[in-house]
Amino acid sequence: MAESEGRIGLAATVGVVLLALLTVWVVVFSREDGVGPDAEPAGETTTPGPPATLELAELWTAPAGAAPVRGQGGRTIRVWAHDGTVTVVTAAGVRGRLAVDGREAWAADPPPGAGPPCAAAGATNAAGLGAVVFTAADGGCSVLGVLDVTDGDLRWWRQLTGPDATPADPAGVAVELGEGTVAVGLDAAGTPAAFHRFAVADATPLPLPAPPDGAAAGCPDDRRQPRTVRQRGSRLLVLSDCPGARRELSAYGADTGEWHWSHAADQETELTAGALLAGDPVVLVRGRDTEAELVAYGESGEELWHRPLGATEAAAGPRPGPLPGEHAVVAGEVLITRYQAPADVRDGPAAEPAASWALAGYELAGGQPRWTTELAPGTQLLGVAELGVPLLAEPTADDRLRILTLDPGTGGTTRLGTVPLHPDRAYDHQFTAFDEHQLYLLTAFEGGTPRLRLAAYER
């Protein structure tokens, strides 16, 4: 018993000594650092910065490949990620790489007699099919090909213009790929004669849809003259002239061609290239300049809300505009779009604002501005990831690209990590794609032979 009590006493004594030494250390060193209880206030204070952002782990980098990176060649570039394959579309060709290690899996042949790619859809569909428009023999951008990105097999192709047609300018070509249909507009004006639509499965040509007899817009069937066709996501819109009556705006399912609704529209109504911001639900900019307004339509065509823009934007809220790389997106119950036009645009395949700009979130149900978020110059909206969370890419001053997630409910951003950007890149815009596990970054370089380099990062 005595031996046990002695050990307890010794342990208690050691504990007291250690506690005393610790107290002395804290008091002495904290006073030396000026942070102790008796320290004088510092002459100036600094606000702690945000926590350091981890660098995303690089998984592989593929050898750089020669390809045009400026002008129309730069506008042709696409990166698609689907089911273990990363497809790169350039004006030099279409190639697929394995997502696991970056090895080249295939190189697609162009349609017989066709030249290099000149336009492409923004992404593949769920079945792993991609749509590419190739250069025709006359130099126009008018040979549509649909290929399987798992093996590069060209499923089918179609020449979209006749021998006497004016060659299609690639700058005006737009490609929209759905699950059941693929659509190509061959001019920037969106004229119906230049709009081509096919079944993805077998290339069956599909006519331009029309409202059923007696549609509520009030335009007799024999007087309807389609004027402009635009497609965005799951929705196809047709603006028609109606002699002796108001214009008619009609909405259809892009894949099915099913008529959804028609509205009588003012004679001044136009469907310009940037007017259709979202397709599900339909959100568009109606009118021009100081009389422009943002309009949202419900599933049966009723106007959910409209907000004036232009001269009244200070009272109405932020003015929406197109996004670099992506148009407006819908995440949950919020429409997310850019506002504040850039002060300058540098040379490259997409707008690169020199001034800071912001995103705005609008309530889909009523159009009320929910939030605005200031972003760094050149920030890109990469798309909507899992669970409806948008991904952003923000360049930094030290040649890095910061990847952020955006909360659609609040506009708040969260940093995921950064990736390095090469100082010799051709421009700040980055070509990106992502899947469930990885982020793919395609960087354009100049100097000697223009080239592109693809890298994969863990996200």
Side-chain angles (χ1 to χ4, degrees), residues 70-108:
R70 293 281 185 183
Q72 179 52 39
R75 289 191 289 269
T76 303
I77 298 169
R78 298 286 189 276
V79 185
W80 301 333
H82 176 81
D83 196 22
T85 302
V86 187
T87 302
V88 177
V89 182
T90 73
V94 187
R95 297 178 182 273
R97 294 189 176 274
L98 298 179
V100 66
D101 57 14
R103 285 183 297 130
E104 185 170 301
W106 51 262

Side-chain angles (χ1 to χ4, degrees), residues 228-279:
T228 312
V229 183
R230 301 287 181 194
Q231 184 171 323
R232 176 74 59 201
S234 63
R235 204 65 64 97
L236 176 67
L237 260 66
V238 180
L239 179 66
S240 299
D241 285 330
C242 187
R246 298 170 68 183
R247 284 179 178 168
E248 178 187 76
L249 180 65
S250 298
Y252 307 86
D255 270 342
T256 63
E258 177 186 2
W259 176 73
H260 290 172
W261 50 261
S262 293
H263 266 320
D266 295 333
Q267 291 301 111
E268 293 75 22
T269 300
E270 296 285 356
L271 278 179
T272 58
L276 184 55
L277 298 183

Side-chain angles (χ1 to χ4, degrees), residues 125-176:
N125 65 12
L129 299 178
V132 180
V133 182
F134 297 84
T135 306
D138 63 3
C141 186
S142 57
V143 182
L144 171 64
V146 171
L147 57 90
D148 187 334
V149 300
T150 60
D151 56 12
D153 178 53
L154 185 65
R155 292 289 187 88
W156 55 264
W157 63 274
R158 290 291 182 272
Q159 169 65 53
L160 303 182
T161 59
D164 299 326
T166 302
D169 183 354
V173 175
V175 187
E176 292 282 346

